[in-house]
Amino acid sequence: MVAFSKIVIAGGGIIGNSVSYYLAKLNIATTVIDPIGIAPAASGKAGGFLARDWSDGSPIGPLQQRSFDLHAQQAEDLGAENIDYRRLVCMAVGCDERAAAVAKPSGKKLEGVEWADINVLGKNMMGGTDTIAQVHPKKLCDAMWKFSQERAGSKLIIGKVVEAIVDDDGSIEGVKLDDGSTIECDALVIACGPWTDATKSWFPSEIGRTIPHMMGVKYHSILIQSPRVLNEAVFFSGHGDPEVYPRPDGDAYITGFPDPAVVVTESPGKEEVRPEVVSRLVDATKKVSSLLGPIPPHTEQACYLPTTNDGIPVIGEIPGVKGAFVGSGHGCWGILNGPATGEAMAELLTEGETKHVDLKLLGVDSPYRR
């Protein structure tokens, strides 16, 4: 049974695309509305690091496990080579910040460390190919959207929702865009990432206030083309604790030095890149790797990761209005948890309940909400 037949998704990032993708697998078309297009913000600039069990024992543990497995299935369905999906290993590497000069240690300190080789104090395996993988977020979003278009006839509208139109019975009947036009629908899925807070104004105040407060944590990143393809992601301790995710195309994605969480005022796709943060990332790379350090970055970028006050994503129905749903606040695990979020939302929209992940702890009224 299809509970809703005319579905609008506000937001063209990983969550919106995942919802559209899993509905398309059921031959249900959607209309995605985004002010820029497909994956214009964090979903096009994130690292794509995937870890199956790093949230075990937390409210998002089951979601993360399910989503990690769905990424593997998507790689089969969409083509791993099309989305740069692969398994790899992850190491934690400690570096000596007190060293007076750049130096390569010898002996056991570098055993098992592929490319991080300067002032290494020690290392620890964080995960192997059974629990660690990666994907290229932008390529994944593009591939999912292509599938949604071709399989179900889903459509993309460049625009911005400014109002949810609710009928006298308290059900969604459409959305109004910033150009004054309206689109008829009986379900609205909000997947606006760090801009979710602004969607409260789309509804009457008593409805809008039920949506958990959403902020954004700004991360900068650089991409360096390595002389060879690397196969080991590294989380450093020291020199600002940068994280490096090498990709199968030879790029090394380097990030770190996050800003405090704020209410986001910058527009999607127009996030300011601050040179001083880029310089810190470049400097940190020089201090940890003789292979990557001498190479200047070919890409410098910034994006906001959406986060709630309690650090738990919000996935589920918005109380008080039939046909309104929200999926946001996934923080640094947005790419990882996108597929399972999309699958669960598609189940809610078509069957009224989820089959694979229990959303009670992740909903608007989760007992963890503060």
Side-chain angles (χ1 to χ4, degrees):
M1 179 189 74
V2 178
F4 300 97
S5 58
K6 297 180 180 179
I7 301 170
V8 163
I9 301 171
I14 184 67
I15 304 302
N17 261 283
S18 295
V19 176
S20 182
Y21 174 81
Y22 282 99
L23 287 169
K25 291 174 75 71
L26 301 173
N27 295 308
I28 299 173
T30 58
T31 299
V32 173
I33 303 173
D34 192 278
I36 306 295
I38 298 300
S43 296
K45 301 174 183 177
F49 178 79
L50 312 175
R52 190 179 195 277
D53 56 0
W54 286 17
S55 296
D56 284 4
S58 78
I60 67 169
L63 180 79
Q64 188 160 318
Q65 292 179 14
R66 175 65 180 171
S67 213
F68 184 90
D69 296 342
L70 287 177
H71 272 287
Q73 183 62 55
Q74 285 186 331
E76 291 185 18
D77 295 343
L78 300 172
E81 69 282 358
N82 295 324
I83 59 177
D84 285 357
Y85 175 90
R86 65 170 178 166
R87 298 297 181 102
L88 73 167
V89 300
C90 181
M91 300 288 291
V93 174
C95 295
D96 187 359
E97 295 181 300
R98 300 166 301 174
V102 171
K104 293 185 181 181
S106 58
K108 291 186 177 296
K109 286 185 177 180
L110 288 183
E111 285 184 5
V113 180
E114 181 187 18
W115 54 266
D117 60 351
I118 298 177
N119 295 330
V120 172
L121 290 173
K123 79 285 184 182
N124 183 52
M125 174 74 76
M126 299 182 73
T129 55
D130 56 334
T131 61
I132 301 295
Q134 71 177 161
V135 70
H136 192 297
K138 173 61 174 171
K139 292 181 180 180
L140 173 60
C141 286
D142 286 342
M144 286 196 295
W145 180 241
K146 180 180 179 182
F147 177 89
S148 297
Q149 289 179 303
E150 295 178 352
R151 176 69 174 269
S154 296
K155 298 179 181 180
L156 172 67
I157 293 177
I158 303 300
K160 185 177 180 181
V161 177
V162 295
E163 182 183 348
I165 303 173
V166 181
D167 66 18
D168 293 338
D169 294 326
S171 299
I172 292 289
E173 65 176 5
V175 294
K176 182 178 180 180
L177 305 189
D178 54 352
D179 64 0
S181 63
T182 60
I183 299 173
E184 182 183 355
C185 65
D186 57 4
L188 168 63
V189 179
I190 296 173
C192 297
W195 292 277
T196 297
D197 227 44
T199 69
K200 295 180 179 183
S201 66
W202 299 357
F203 301 91
S205 59
E206 66 274 13
I207 302 298
R209 69 168 64 102
T210 67
I211 300 174
H213 182 48
M214 195 71 58
M215 297 177 290
V217 177
K218 191 172 191 177
Y219 273 84
H220 285 69
S221 58
I222 59 175
L223 277 77
I224 291 175
Q225 182 67 39
S226 171
R228 55 185 172 86
V229 176
L230 305 176
N231 301 290
E232 192 173 84
V234 176
F235 284 63
F236 288 96
S237 177
H239 302 304
D241 302 342
E243 301 171 11
V244 183
Y245 318 134
R247 289 175 168 171
D249 63 1
D251 269 347
Y253 180 101
I254 304 166
T255 188
F257 309 110
D259 289 359
V262 296
V263 174
V264 179
T265 57
E266 293 186 270
S267 299
K270 298 180 180 179
E271 300 89 346
E272 178 191 10
V273 178
R274 303 201 305 274
E276 67 273 16
V277 183
V278 170
S279 295
R280 293 181 72 188
L281 289 169
V282 171
D283 183 62
T285 306
K286 292 178 179 179
K287 291 177 178 177
V288 299
S289 175
S290 63
L291 179 69
L292 300 177
I295 306 172
H298 64 76
T299 299
E300 304 169 357
Q301 57 190 9
C303 62
Y304 287 92
L305 306 185
T307 183
T308 58
N309 288 338
D310 46 56
I312 300 173
V314 53
I315 308 169
E317 299 178 73
I318 298 174
V321 56
K322 182 181 178 181
F325 302 81
V326 61
S328 186
H330 294 73
C332 64
W333 296 123
I335 304 303
L336 169 57
N337 289 327
T341 299
E343 179 189 59
M345 195 69 73
E347 291 168 351
L348 281 178
L349 288 160
T350 57
E351 301 182 37
E353 59 182 7
T354 58
K355 293 181 177 180
H356 299 94
V357 178
D358 187 347
L359 297 180
K360 285 197 293 289
L361 298 182
L362 307 178
V364 169
D365 54 356
S366 166
Y368 287 91
R369 303 287 172 212
R370 297 197 298 266

